[in-house]
């Protein structure tokens, strides 16, 4: 890789990494797994940087992250996730949305990895069902059923008042 390509890549990573790691966090539900997902996807994008840098490198990297996440949760079917509560005290944030964010994060962690991925792609990334199905390598019907089950589960997990707040 030439020096100017390295500079463009370094600038891209420095400017877009925080947003991409946030997406990875929503997909994985864990900060360290999110960083691993981002790094894994980036390691697959770097060898192709010369051909994608002028197109849409962020879109390409996001697609690689989605596919990597699908691979990870398919592997998890064979071995189950074991969430660990480290007992970290949660300090109340004076802003009004902190409680809602914490409740939503806790509820998202209780979804299956497949459901969490579909919810992130549909609602956080605002992708249409057909594109989500293409990214995940499944049918549109599968996306719809996973989305419906995930939303139903979130309704069970979140208090009614918080659901009303989220809809606004």
């Amino acid at each position: 890789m030439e020096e100017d390509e390295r500079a463009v890549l370094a600038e891209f990573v420095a400017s877009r990494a925080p947003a991409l790691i946030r997406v990875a966090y929503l997909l994985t539900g864990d900060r360290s797994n999110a960083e691993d997902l981002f790094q894994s996807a980036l390691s697959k994008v770097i060898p192709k940087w010369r051909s994608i840098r002028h197109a849409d490198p962020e879109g390409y990297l996001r697609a690689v992250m989605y596919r990597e996440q699908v691979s990870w949760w398919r592997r998890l079917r064979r071995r189950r996730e074991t969430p660990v509560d480290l007992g970290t005290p949660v300090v109340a944030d004076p802003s009004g949305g902190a409680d809602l964010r914490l409740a939503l994060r806790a509820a998202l962690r209780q979804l299956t990895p497949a459901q969490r991925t579909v919810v992130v792609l549909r609602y956080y990334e605002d992708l249409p069902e057909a594109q989500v199905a293409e990214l995940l390598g499944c049918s549109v019907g599968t996306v719809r059923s996973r989305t419906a089950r995930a939303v139903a589960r979130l309704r069970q997990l979140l208090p009614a008042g918080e659901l009303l707040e989220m809809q606004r």
Side-chain angles (χ1 to χ4, degrees):
M1 186 181 296
E2 294 180 22
E3 191 64 33
D4 65 325
E5 289 176 339
R6 283 187 187 170
V8 172
L9 175 62
E11 182 181 323
F12 168 76
V13 170
S15 66
R16 297 307 305 151
L20 291 167
I21 290 174
R22 276 193 301 273
V23 171
Y25 176 79
L26 291 170
L27 290 170
T28 63
D30 179 76
R31 177 73 181 179
S32 64
N33 287 342
E35 291 169 351
D36 289 346
L37 178 61
F38 174 71
Q39 288 176 357
S40 175
L42 190 59
S43 71
K44 291 183 178 189
V45 167
I46 288 174
K48 300 177 188 323
W49 182 252
R50 179 176 288 177
S51 62
I52 66 167
R53 74 180 253 200
H54 296 295
D56 181 17
E58 183 171 350
Y60 189 88
L61 182 59
R62 284 175 184 259
V64 171
M65 281 181 14
Y66 303 148
R67 289 186 180 103
E68 274 294 293
Q69 177 62 12
V70 169
S71 295
W72 288 7
W73 55 254
R74 283 184 178 155
R75 274 184 256 146
L76 282 176
R77 285 185 183 161
R78 288 182 224 124
R79 63 172 210 268
R80 296 298 307 160
E81 271 183 337
T82 307
V84 177
D85 182 15
L86 299 176
T88 308
V90 178
V91 179
D93 186 356
S95 68
D99 293 338
L100 176 60
R101 285 192 306 272
L102 290 173
L104 184 57
R105 183 172 62 181
L108 282 171
R109 283 185 178 161
Q110 293 183 45
L111 297 177
T112 66
Q115 289 174 338
R116 186 171 49 240
T117 301
V118 170
V119 167
V120 169
L121 293 176
R122 286 285 293 130
Y123 299 111
Y124 184 77
E125 291 290 314
D126 199 26
L127 297 178
E129 292 171 337
Q131 191 174 357
V132 172
E134 182 182 330
L135 285 169
L136 299 182
C138 63
S139 70
V140 173
T142 301
V143 170
R144 287 180 183 153
S145 65
R146 284 185 184 155
T147 303
R149 287 187 189 111
V151 169
R153 181 73 176 132
L154 287 172
R155 284 188 177 127
Q156 289 175 342
L157 296 170
L158 293 170
E162 291 177 10
L163 279 175
L164 291 174
E165 186 68 30
M166 280 193 328
Q167 291 174 349
R168 292 182 192 169

